[in-house]
Amino acid sequence: MAIDSDRGMTPLDGLAPAAALFRSLADPVRLSIVQRLSRGEARVVDLTRELGLAQSTVSKHLSCLRDCKLVDYRAEGRQSFYFIAAPELMDLLRSAEHLLSATDRAVALCPAYGTAARQNREDSVAPTEPVAGG
């Protein structure tokens, strides 16, 4: 692996921020929040009701999105209204939809990241019943 002698960096180091961006959007809950916020501002209570999620779940994922500076909020009295902080995020999501369409959503079949792979990961960490007498 080549190292940039001026900076002591490998070519992969420059890709770390992009990889972190995609990881921040890789969670279905965060992506659903972003998709909802693409239609306009929302409070946590609105997101929990519309997405059918627990308040703690929505708050945790909003915090992550805020830490990544993808989402921000404005206070109005005692309420917080969340919104997309970077309009470029919407361009990225539109591009992703075009790419999914162009590939006929083949990524869903990917053995590493597709739907079946996710189900296999969930099955492997599913709680097990205690063994009688054990």
Side-chain angles (χ1 to χ4, degrees):
M1 184 176 294
I3 295 181
D4 182 340
S5 59
D6 293 338
R7 297 186 203 151
M9 293 176 54
T10 69
L12 294 178
D13 291 334
L15 296 174
L21 169 65
F22 286 110
R23 277 194 302 274
S24 74
L25 297 171
D27 186 282
V29 171
R30 286 191 295 276
L31 195 53
S32 69
I33 290 170
V34 167
Q35 286 180 327
R36 167 51 189 86
L37 293 178
S38 73
R39 297 191 308 271
E41 294 181 329
R43 301 168 300 163
V44 171
V45 68
D46 302 323
L47 294 168
T48 58
R49 184 177 53 247
E50 293 175 35
L51 302 175
L53 299 168
Q55 181 272 329
S56 60
T57 300
V58 169
S59 294
K60 176 182 80 168
H61 288 287
L62 280 170
S63 178
C64 174
L65 292 166
R66 284 188 60 227
D67 289 344
C68 295
K69 299 198 184 304
L70 299 175
V71 166
D72 206 350
Y73 74 96
R74 66 176 180 82
E76 187 174 300
R78 295 175 57 169
Q79 300 182 71
S80 296
F81 291 84
Y82 289 86
F83 59 90
I84 301 293
E88 296 83 0
L89 178 56
M90 301 318 305
D91 296 335
L92 177 64
L93 294 178
R94 279 189 288 278
S95 292
E97 279 300 320
H98 290 301
L99 181 58
L100 287 168
S101 179
T103 62
D104 197 25
R105 300 186 182 277
V107 71
L109 302 175
C110 172
Y113 300 110
T115 307
R118 185 180 70 230
Q119 185 60 46
N120 289 338
R121 285 191 300 274
E122 290 170 359
D123 290 347
S124 70
V125 295
T128 57
E129 293 294 320
V131 177

